[in-house]
Amino acid sequence: MKGRQASGTEQAVDLCGVSLRGPVLNGSGTFDAIAARRAFGDVLLERFPFDLFVSKTVTLEPRAGNPPPRLWETPAGLLNSIGLPNKGLDGFLAADLPQLAELPVPLCVSVMGFTRDELAVLVERVGARAEVSLIELNVSCPNVETGLIMGADPGETARAVERVRPLCPKPLVVKLTPNAGDPGAVATAAEEAGADAVSLVNTLRGMALHPRTRRPWLGGGSGGLSGPAIRAVALGQVASVARSVSIPVIGMGGIASGADAAEFMAAGAAAIAVGTESFRDPGAGHRIGDELAGARGVTSGVTSSVQPSPDHRSGGAPAA
Ligand code: DHB
């Protein structure tokens, strides 16, 4: 894993009062820092690929996740139906949080409740832990039995944020779904209910069929699409949401290069997250951060050499 130099303050970001050395986050559930530490040892801590670590989503009770198969590759994308396997709140606090607290960057814990009362317990207990700097409210997971996405509806989102806001003084980041009719309206509802930031996009709902049986391939039936295949959709929604709210927007969806990241920031993102690309290259966060610094001209003495992502197709430059 190649490392990004511990930089000065050129790329530093203040995210809701939390100081980050740069703007590159991981998408929740796309980088297992505990497994990576086992695999790479302490070099992971010396060369950590992200400037803020977002945990996998934690639910109140332990979950086994969806039956296999859980993944399907599409042209330029990945369809997943993982189904939120996790140790549950007690298991997370006892076993995972102490390990995540050893990471060299601030920690955001992602939580999801099946009801507002569940969400309240999660936010109160996670928010009480000193190791946690921010909380992500995942109201946008598409891979649960109910098939319902709280964050698809502005009113439901507002009620969830209003319920938990008084329980935790720490910044609350609401993770939005692209599967909403009007993501800008959901973002505005979250802001008015007290959210400190929004992040988007989660995965786009989709499905794949077994090539022979024509039955759903994924054990969960349907899944969520991520990767470069969704980048243009994500960029459009980030731009639209950034125009609708005044709280910070964390942009993600198929970011695979510094040039991609620079586009999301130009569209209004205060920070960006790398997700699917980290499965291909666990050091992608470093590379994208370095490329982004070059793109923004903040790395003194280094010529900007940002290239479009490998999947970029030249459609011809617009006429000058
Ligand atoms: C899972 C998928 C998501 O898109 C998400 O936000 C959280 C969890 C999952 O399938 O585990």
Side-chain angles (χ1 to χ4, degrees), residues 294 297 299-305:
T299 309
S300 56
V302 177
T303 310
S304 171
S305 62

Side-chain angles (χ1 to χ4, degrees), residues 1 31-45 99 282:
M1 194 184 299
F31 187 93
D32 185 338
I34 295 172
R37 174 106 185 257
R38 270 200 302 273
F40 296 110
D42 284 349
V43 78
L44 179 80
L45 306 185
Q99 297 184 69

Side-chain angles (χ1 to χ4, degrees), residues 67-82:
R70 291 173 164 183
L71 296 175
W72 174 267
E73 200 176 333
T74 75
L78 184 66
L79 196 56
N80 85 77
S81 179
I82 311 296

Side-chain angles (χ1 to χ4, degrees), residues 24-300:
V24 182
L25 286 53
N26 63 299
S28 170
T30 61
F31 187 93
D32 185 338
I34 295 172
R37 174 106 185 257
R38 270 200 302 273
F40 296 110
D42 284 349
V43 78
L44 179 80
L45 306 185
E46 289 151 28
R47 300 176 169 190
F48 196 67
F50 308 106
D51 302 313
L52 169 80
F53 185 73
V54 184
S55 77
K56 181 154 174 63
T57 297
V58 181
T59 55
L60 192 54
E61 301 299 334
R63 287 175 58 87
N66 287 342
R70 291 173 164 183
L71 296 175
W72 174 267
E73 200 176 333
T74 75
L78 184 66
L79 196 56
N80 85 77
S81 179
I82 311 296
L84 288 167
N86 76 101
K87 298 184 172 91
L89 179 61
D90 289 338
F92 173 80
L93 293 177
D96 291 357
L97 186 57
Q99 297 184 69
L100 297 180
E102 291 180 10
L103 299 177
V105 295
L107 178 64
C108 175
V109 173
S110 175
V111 297
M112 178 187 147
F114 289 91
T115 64
R116 287 191 287 278
D117 286 346
E118 275 193 20
L119 193 61
V121 175
L122 285 155
V123 168
E124 196 162 25
R125 290 190 54 205
V126 169
R129 297 293 293 255
E131 305 93 317
V132 179
S133 294
L134 304 98
I135 297 184
E136 176 185 277
L137 305 178
N138 181 0
V139 293
S140 51
C141 175
N143 294 333
V144 288
E145 309 79 11
T146 61
L148 295 175
I149 301 180
M150 198 183 255
D153 179 65
E156 281 292 317
T157 303
R159 283 187 284 280
V161 177
E162 273 160 14
R163 173 82 167 83
V164 301
R165 178 68 283 177
L167 305 175
C168 170
K170 292 183 180 166
L172 297 175
V173 181
V174 176
K175 175 93 174 259
L176 302 174
T177 175
N179 303 306
D182 183 353
V186 180
T188 303
E191 178 177 34
E192 286 171 355
D196 298 284
V198 289
S199 61
L200 70 155
V201 295
N202 205 318
T203 52
L204 275 157
R205 205 197 285 273
M207 83 181 298
L209 297 182
H210 189 293
R212 192 168 33 78
T213 66
R214 302 288 184 204
R215 296 226 175 82
W217 170 268
L218 295 166
S222 64
L225 184 64
S226 63
I230 71 164
R231 191 188 308 128
V233 175
L235 185 66
Q237 294 202 0
V238 165
S240 159
V241 164
R243 283 192 296 270
S244 306
V245 298
S246 49
I247 52 178
V249 174
I250 302 165
M252 72 194 86
I255 293 177
S257 70
D260 299 337
E263 287 193 4
F264 277 73
M265 297 191 83
I272 59 96
V274 178
T276 305
E277 182 67 3
S278 294
F279 290 116
R280 206 180 59 74
D281 169 14
H286 276 298
R287 174 179 55 77
I288 291 169
D290 283 348
E291 291 171 354
L292 179 62
R296 300 162 93 200
V298 295
T299 309
S300 56

